[in-house]
Amino acid sequence: MAAPVTPPRGMRDFLPADKARREHALGVIRGVYASHGFDEIETPVMEDSHRLHAGLGGDNEKLAFAVMKRGLTGDDLRTAAEAGDALALADLGLRYDLTVPLARFYATHRAALPPVFRAIQIAPVWRAERPQKGRYRQFVQCDIDIIGEAGPLAELELLNATLAALDALGLGGCAIRLNDRRILAGILASWGVPEELRERALITIDKLDKIGPDGVAAELRDLGVEQADVADEIRQLAAADWHLHDGVVPPPAWLDLDAYADLRALRAALPGAAIEFDPTLVRGMGYYTGTIFEIAHPDFGYSLGGGGRYDGMIGRFLGQEVPACGFSIGFERIVDLLEIADDARPRAVVLVHDADVPPLRLVALKSELVASGTRVRLERRVKNLKALLDRVTADGFDAFATVTAATDGADSLSFRDLA
């Protein structure tokens, strides 16, 4: 039996049409973000293990791929196994998101960066997920972040740029869900969740759409929450009709009024956007400290991206607090929804040539067409011409022309549409 030739589980190959769709979408996103004043950077695919496991990544830290140290011996392996400490064998790991690397990047290069730094990062990340539909072990993230801006201007710029990018991709009409970690802290305090267990409790609440209010309440009881009606309170939080523009009257005892005022200010500053307050919105990463948000489209039952403020992360690396806020588009979720418009790509033609056409003439014809902005592929004539034309049509080509030994130049070619 032949050995399997498929990619590793949870990773994918991309055929030319798929790759073209992805690159088109990435180009649109890059262009919009650049027009909003963001600059693209690049960081290594690996980071030191102690940074990736600093307690900031929530459950994603458990999904980080570790890279084993060089020169390990059998004794090293036995010692680590006996201690149950697999990380003792690894000093590096593949990044599981782009925010931790950005924080390290800023701490490294702060002197060379402007006081308020607007960053684009578009790159693959890796997580040891259980592969399933929509979940991959390697996938692309599209992040924008603003570092050094403590006020609401950062959130406004991020949301504006993201909505513009989605609109440019043909995904207009999106809605924004807002919450604040300070509000979540008030809710957990009202339930009696100890301070040291609140991050674990937030991870539990983040599972609400998967395990429901009763499942969340059961896990919270395991953390020591004794309040009997937690499941009912969660249902009320999720079902309430919150109006940021009107405020909450009277406000619940758990509501952080300063945080709620900040959310109302964001709502007022984005009058053209559909914005709602959702006190059950968590965002699973442990590094969020303030405003958090997600964007969804009415035609799809899932988030198209999200982010929030993470003012405490860079201080872990720099020893000095620096405000930061970021947003990540769920690229793998949206790319399959997109179609490349005919006017968004160059004309693509195929030159079907006889075997006796000199190569130099073929290259000259091709170069002449390429110089005019046309994409060109050379294909030798075959008996089953229909199969050849069906294949190049599937590859995104628009027209074809036949080249014979008598063909003089590009002006003499007669193109026929492929459709």
Side-chain angles (χ1 to χ4, degrees):
M1 177 184 290
V5 291
T6 55
R9 290 185 69 235
M11 300 182 183
R12 297 164 292 166
D13 295 324
F14 296 106
L15 292 169
D18 298 322
K19 181 65 174 174
R21 183 187 301 109
R22 294 172 69 86
E23 290 303 317
H24 169 73
L26 291 173
V28 171
I29 294 168
R30 280 189 169 97
V32 172
Y33 285 165
S35 72
H36 280 253
F38 291 81
D39 295 309
E40 189 161 4
I41 65 169
E42 184 173 330
T43 59
V45 302
M46 292 187 289
E47 293 285 344
D48 288 340
S49 286
H50 70 273
R51 292 194 186 102
L52 295 175
H53 296 276
L56 298 169
D59 275 356
N60 288 327
E61 290 191 4
K62 302 174 184 176
L63 302 176
F65 281 100
V67 179
M68 292 183 69
K69 297 177 181 178
R70 280 72 57 206
L72 290 173
T73 67
D75 289 339
D76 295 325
L77 298 175
R78 282 190 293 273
T79 300
E82 291 169 359
D85 183 10
L87 288 179
L89 303 175
D91 54 355
L92 299 171
L94 291 174
R95 62 191 177 205
Y96 53 74
D97 78 349
L98 297 176
T99 307
V100 173
L102 174 64
R104 195 272 310 149
F105 172 94
Y106 184 84
T108 302
H109 300 286
R110 185 183 187 187
L113 299 173
V116 177
F117 179 50
R118 295 168 175 84
I120 304 170
Q121 285 190 99
I122 298 179
V125 299
W126 292 265
R127 296 178 190 172
E129 298 270 13
R130 179 177 298 169
Q132 54 186 294
K133 182 177 175 58
R135 286 191 175 271
Y136 308 105
R137 289 179 170 177
Q138 177 179 318
F139 55 95
V140 169
Q141 285 192 336
C142 299
D143 287 14
I144 47 174
D145 294 81
I146 298 179
I147 300 176
E149 174 57 62
L153 179 61
E155 284 90 335
L156 289 172
E157 284 199 78
L158 292 168
L159 291 171
N160 254 331
T162 300
L163 288 171
L166 293 173
D167 188 60
L169 290 168
L171 296 172
C174 291
I176 302 170
R177 298 164 63 209
L178 290 177
N179 198 11
D180 194 294
R181 280 297 179 96
R182 292 170 291 177
I183 291 174
L184 286 165
I187 293 172
L188 295 180
S190 74
W191 292 342
V193 179
E195 182 77 31
E196 65 274 11
L197 295 178
R198 287 184 185 173
E199 283 302 325
R200 290 175 58 188
L202 289 177
I203 291 172
T204 294
I205 297 173
D206 198 35
K207 303 176 186 176
L208 178 59
D209 60 337
K210 298 178 181 176
I211 63 177
D214 292 320
V216 170
E219 290 196 16
L220 291 176
R221 281 194 293 273
D222 293 339
L223 296 179
V225 175
E226 298 178 356
Q227 190 169 326
D229 60 349
V230 167
D232 292 335
E233 286 202 18
I234 294 172
R235 289 188 182 91
Q236 292 171 11
L237 289 174
D241 186 15
W242 304 97
H243 296 286
L244 284 171
H245 54 286
D246 295 329
V248 177
V249 181
W254 48 259
L255 185 63
D256 185 302
L257 296 180
D258 290 337
Y260 192 69
D262 290 344
L263 298 184
R264 290 183 66 193
L266 285 177
R267 171 67 180 82
L270 294 168
I275 297 179
E276 62 182 27
F277 169 49
D278 182 355
T280 66
L281 176 65
V282 173
R283 302 294 300 166
M285 298 304 225
Y287 46 64
Y288 290 123
T289 57
T291 313
I292 50 178
F293 30 77
E294 284 189 349
I295 287 186
H297 192 280
D299 293 343
F300 314 114
Y302 46 78
S303 166
L304 298 184
R309 183 164 285 280
Y310 54 98
D311 290 341
M313 179 185 286
I314 296 174
R316 295 274 194 106
F317 301 144
L318 195 60
Q320 177 182 349
E321 293 303 314
V322 179
C325 195
F327 193 100
S328 180
I329 285 179
F331 179 73
E332 304 297 349
R333 287 187 168 184
I334 67 173
V335 68
D336 290 337
L337 306 174
L338 306 178
E339 294 292 338
I340 303 176
D342 290 339
D343 59 358
R345 56 185 175 85
R347 185 167 186 254
V349 302
V350 174
L351 300 183
V352 180
H353 62 90
D354 293 336
D356 60 349
V357 180
L360 289 178
R361 184 175 301 173
L362 291 172
V363 171
L365 287 170
K366 180 178 181 179
S367 298
E368 189 175 348
L369 291 168
V370 169
S372 69
T374 303
R375 182 184 178 214
V376 184
R377 176 183 291 178
L378 299 175
E379 292 280 357
R380 178 172 292 187
R381 182 189 293 275
V382 294
K383 289 183 178 180
N384 190 349
L385 183 60
K386 182 180 183 304
L388 186 154
L389 297 179
D390 287 345
R391 172 168 56 82
V392 297
T393 300
D395 288 344
F397 286 85
D398 309 307
F400 79 101
T402 299
V403 180
T404 69
T407 303
D408 292 328
D411 290 342
S412 65
L413 293 171
S414 177
F415 285 99
R416 284 181 279 178
D417 290 340
L418 290 166

